[in-house]
């Protein structure tokens, strides 16, 4: 762990009150830990905003497995982008509906491109790309 340095910050009392209520609701036991997490999260979000950043993402899609050839198209897309697909998981969530979670790794721009192609497949009812972390 890096050497820890102490810093002091000044906040308006109303802002501090809101912050304390927020971190208490989140389960933080100290302001320092909450501030560290908020700073890390903000810096990560900033890096994930850059198209060239290496990242990991989870693509979530819900679809009807009766939809003709959608499952095959999902598999085909992943095979054609092998190096970007880390893993995938399929969950049968109803009589007709399936949830697929596909973990991708690559540049933010590549992940967005592949994720958008997956979500826009005909038959996908809902989909979301969650950029989770900047890769080391
Ligand atoms: Ni299924």
């Amino acid at each position: 762990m890096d050497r820890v340095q102490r810093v002091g910050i000044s906040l308006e009392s109303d802002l501090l009150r809101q912050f304390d209520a927020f971190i208490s609701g989140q389960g933080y036991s100290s302001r320092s830990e909450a501030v560290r997490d908020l700073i890390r999260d903000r810096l990560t979000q900033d890096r994930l905003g850059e198209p060239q950043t290496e990242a990991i993402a989870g693509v979530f899609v819900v679809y009807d497995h009766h939809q003709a050839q959608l499952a095959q198209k999902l598999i085909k897309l992943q095979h054609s982008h092998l190096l970007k697909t880390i893993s995938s998981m399929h969950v049968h969530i109803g009589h007709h509906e399936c949830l697929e979670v596909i973990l991708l790794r690559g540049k933010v721009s590549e992940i967005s491109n592949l994720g958008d192609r997956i979500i826009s497949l005909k038959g996908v009812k809902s989909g979301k790309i969650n950029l989770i972390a900047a890769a080391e």
Side-chain angles (χ1 to χ4, degrees), residues 65 90-92 98:
H65 71 173
H90 183 107
V91 182
H92 315 297
C98 301

Side-chain angles (χ1 to χ4, degrees), residues 25-95:
Q26 295 280 310
Y28 283 104
S29 56
S30 82
R31 286 176 178 155
S32 290
E33 188 54 32
V35 169
R36 280 193 287 269
D37 278 2
L38 287 173
I39 291 173
R40 285 191 203 103
D41 183 58
R42 184 61 183 81
L43 292 175
T44 299
Q45 290 309 316
D46 192 53
R47 279 191 291 154
L48 291 176
E50 297 291 329
Q52 295 305 308
T53 297
E54 290 288 331
I56 294 171
V59 178
F60 296 76
V61 285
V62 173
Y63 63 94
D64 186 331
H65 71 173
H66 293 114
Q67 183 68 39
Q69 293 170 348
L70 178 60
Q72 284 81 357
K73 285 178 191 164
L74 271 175
I75 290 168
K76 195 173 168 192
L77 262 179
Q78 291 174 67
H79 273 279
S80 62
H81 296 80
L82 266 186
L83 295 176
K84 294 185 189 67
T85 304
I86 300 170
S87 170
S88 70
M89 178 174 69
H90 183 107
V91 182
H92 315 297
I93 55 176
H95 283 296

Side-chain angles (χ1 to χ4, degrees), residues 12-23:
E12 294 86 355
S13 47
D14 185 52
L15 185 59
L16 182 59
R17 187 184 50 73
Q18 290 180 58
F19 181 67
D20 283 342
F22 169 75
I23 66 174

Side-chain angles (χ1 to χ4, degrees), residues 4 9 17 28 30-31 57 59 62-63 82 91 93 101-102 109-110 113-114 116-117 121 124-125 129 131:
V4 174
I9 56 170
R17 187 184 50 73
Y28 283 104
S30 82
R31 286 176 178 155
V59 178
V62 173
Y63 63 94
L82 266 186
V91 182
I93 55 176
V101 182
I102 303 160
S109 56
E110 298 166 338
N113 186 276
L114 178 54
D116 287 343
R117 288 181 63 186
L121 286 172
V124 171
K125 290 179 174 178
I129 304 169
L131 285 166

Side-chain angles (χ1 to χ4, degrees), residues 118-134:
I118 290 170
I119 291 170
S120 64
L121 286 172
K122 187 172 180 233
V124 171
K125 290 179 174 178
S126 61
K128 189 161 178 50
I129 304 169
N130 284 309
L131 285 166
I132 295 164

